[in-house]
Amino acid sequence: MRENSRVEQAVGFLLHLVDAETAERVRARTGLPGPEDPRTSRLRLTRAWTWARRLPASVALWVLENDDPALNAMMWNYLANDAGLRRAVARGVPFGTGRTGPLRVDRALREQEPEVPDSYVRHGLVGALRAVTSMGQAHAAASMVLTADDWWTVGEADLDRPLPGYARWALSVRPDCPPLVREGFGSHAKFTHRLREAGIVDGPAEYATAHGPAVDVLEVLAMGHLLFPARVHEVQDALRPLVRDHLGEREEAWAVLAQLMETFHGRTPELVMTAGAIA
C-alpha cells in the first residue's frame, strides 16, 4: 500500500485498539507502516482535507467544540452550507462546555459573516422564525440562533406555540441544536431519517458503528486525536470489543481486513466481522 493512503490510516486506527505487540506483528505481516508521528498527522491536518467532504454535520460540530481558533479557521470552508455555524464562528461563539467568553477570531473570518436577515431586524429572533413561509427563509432565520440562551428561547417558544414546520426543520438539522430542543420538533421515523440524511449523529460511537462506508468513517476517526480529542474515547470504547472478538491477534484476519477495506461499502462492524469470518 502506498504511504499515508486512506486504507493505511483506516487500518492503523483499528490497530490502536489492540496491544502494541499484536499491532507490530500485523504491520509486519501486512506491510503497513508504523504508527504516524503526531507532528506528521498535524501537518497532514493543515493540508486540504480530501476527506472533509464526507464529514457529517455533527462531526464538524465536534471539531468546533475544541474552541480552537486555528481549527475553526480550518473548518470554515466546510461550513459553507450552514450559515448558523459560520455566523457563530465569525462572532467567536464558544461551542465547548465551561467557556463563557468569546473566542479570538481572525478579521478575515469576521468580515465573511453571512448577512443578517431583514426578518430578524424587523421581528427579532422568535418573530423571524414565526414569519417564515419557505425553507430558504427558515434557514436564514435559524442562522440567528447562536448561543445556549438562544436555543432555549426558541425551544420555549415552540412549546408555547409550535413554530412553522419550515422553521422547525431548519432548526432541527443544525448540529448544535440541543437534543432536548430537537426532541420537541419531532420523533417519528420520517423525521429521524431526515436527520440522518442531514448528517445529525447522536455521538462518535454511533458514527463509528452505524455509518459507512467503513473506510470513509475510519479515515476521519484516525484524525480524532486532533479533530475531537475529548470524544475519541467514545469511539474506542465502541469498537474495541468488536476488534477483539473478530480480529484479535490473528494476523491473517487483519490482512483480509486491509484487502477488503478500499472496496467494502458497509459499516465498520460489518467489515470487521466479514474479515474475521473469511480468515
Side-chain angles (χ1 to χ4, degrees), residues 215-228:
V215 66
D216 290 351
V217 172
L218 291 171
E219 186 183 14
V220 173
L221 296 179
M223 300 299 293
H225 63 294
L226 294 175
L227 294 174
F228 40 92

Side-chain angles (χ1 to χ4, degrees), residues 167-188:
R168 290 177 131 212
W169 178 239
L171 291 165
S172 66
V173 296
R174 283 277 300 275
D176 52 334
C177 179
L180 286 177
V181 175
R182 183 181 286 120
E183 287 175 9
F185 295 146
S187 59
H188 52 82

Side-chain angles (χ1 to χ4, degrees), residues 92-116:
V93 175
F95 288 91
T97 57
R99 187 184 183 102
T100 56
L103 304 177
R104 175 181 55 80
V105 181
D106 290 339
R107 179 179 179 181
L109 293 190
R110 291 199 305 270
E111 294 175 346
Q112 294 180 65
E113 177 183 339
E115 184 178 354
V116 174

Side-chain angles (χ1 to χ4, degrees), residues 15 58 103 105 148 174 198 201 218 224 229 236 245 262 275 278:
L15 280 174
S58 290
L103 304 177
V105 181
R174 283 277 300 275
V201 185
L218 291 171
Q236 296 169 337
D245 294 344
E262 185 70 54
I278 291 175

